[in-house]
Amino acid sequence: EAGVTQSPTHLIKTRGQQATLRCSPISGHTSVYWYQQALGLGLQFLLWYDEGEERNRGNFPPRFSGRQFPNYSSELNVNALELEDSALYLCASSQHNEQFFGPGTRLTVL
Amino acid sequence: GQNIDQPTEMTATEGAIVQINCTYQTSGFNGLFWYQQHAGEAPTFLSYNVLDGLEEKGRFSSFLSRSKGYSYLLLKELQMKDSASYLCAVRDTGGFKTIFGAGTRLFVKA
């Protein structure tokens, strides 16, 4: 069974640009979660999507947004990038309790 | 507010037993998770507690006391490969937001 996949693996942008990160959940999982993990810090909850709807979001500004597609894959968009947005962005999917994490996208903002 | 506390770092010897503590204060509670994260990799699920008591799974056990807002992860017969960060996470009731602690870096020495 294929796990959670994310693309791209690495992404380099400059301040003010926009970044799009993608996630494909495990087949059969309808929930997708996005987390930000800055260097040396814990995972910070960003967004939760389920059945195509945004169910909850963390304490992040509106320039962090996303969506979930009918096939349950998801996209995270970060607009007007700032230096402090540099981090590992992890996507996780779940069906019940356990969350299965993807390998992450390392976003670097220069 | 929402807060999860766990020690920043711990060191233990191969073959020994180590206990990683986690205390939490959240507005709601719908389960506590422990994840393992090796450097540069995604977190992987270790355990889930929703009722008070001890859950044992091989060399790993997790304990929960909801009244005390306390959990611990017990690792027995430590192996070098257990060197990793261990993340404590609590799922909230409304909206199923999962809050992660900053993680405990465990160093296993020979």
Side-chain angles (χ1 to χ4, degrees):
Chain A
E1 178 184 286
V4 178
T5 60
Q6 292 186 244
S7 63
T9 305
H10 293 88
L11 189 58
I12 299 175
K13 295 284 187 178
T14 56
R15 285 173 58 190
Q17 285 189 313
Q18 187 248 358
T20 298
L21 289 63
R22 296 179 177 85
C23 170
S24 290
I26 290 173
S27 177
H29 289 190
T30 62
S31 279
V32 170
Y33 303 80
W34 287 97
Y35 295 91
Q36 180 195 67
Q37 188 174 34
L39 193 63
L41 298 180
L43 274 70
Q44 301 296 315
F45 169 74
L46 267 166
L47 290 159
W48 170 39
Y49 292 95
D50 184 58
E51 297 284 358
E53 300 282 332
E54 181 180 302
R55 303 294 183 180
N56 208 341
R57 65 179 292 130
N59 296 325
F60 281 84
R63 56 190 187 83
F64 286 83
S65 65
R67 53 181 172 166
Q68 187 178 33
F69 300 98
N71 66 354
Y72 303 116
S73 67
S74 177
E75 215 171 67
L76 174 68
N77 295 292
V78 188
N79 294 320
L81 283 166
E82 300 179 3
L83 296 178
E84 52 265 34
D85 296 334
S86 294
L88 180 67
Y89 288 84
L90 290 163
C91 167
S93 75
S94 76
Q95 194 170 31
H96 300 295
N97 297 315
E98 176 183 349
Q99 290 184 25
F100 294 84
F101 284 83
T105 294
R106 172 75 61 188
L107 173 64
T108 302
V109 182
L110 303 175
Chain B
Q2 318 260 46
N3 194 48
I4 297 180
D5 287 317
Q6 45 182 136
T8 306
E9 286 185 2
M10 297 183 72
T11 300
T13 305
E14 194 176 15
I17 299 173
V18 70
Q19 178 175 312
I20 303 175
N21 296 323
C22 170
T23 58
Y24 63 90
Q25 292 173 312
T26 55
S27 54
F29 180 84
N30 193 18
L32 186 141
F33 301 82
W34 283 96
Y35 286 84
Q36 181 191 60
Q37 186 176 25
H38 284 99
E41 298 181 12
T44 55
F45 171 81
L46 287 177
S47 67
Y48 169 67
N49 295 67
V50 68
L51 299 175
D52 291 352
L54 188 69
E55 294 280 341
E56 297 186 78
K57 190 187 291 187
R59 295 189 298 115
F60 291 47
S61 303
S62 57
F63 171 83
L64 174 67
S65 169
R66 289 172 296 170
S67 62
K68 296 180 179 178
Y70 168 70
S71 172
Y72 67 72
L73 178 70
L74 194 71
L75 292 77
K76 303 175 187 176
E77 300 168 17
L78 279 173
Q79 302 174 10
M80 300 299 287
K81 67 178 182 180
D82 297 330
S83 293
S85 286
Y86 291 86
L87 311 177
C88 173
V90 174
R91 184 166 62 189
D92 205 341
T93 44
F96 273 41
K97 180 192 297 188
T98 301
I99 310 298
F100 280 79
T104 298
R105 290 185 66 188
L106 174 66
F107 298 93
V108 179
K109 58 182 182 179

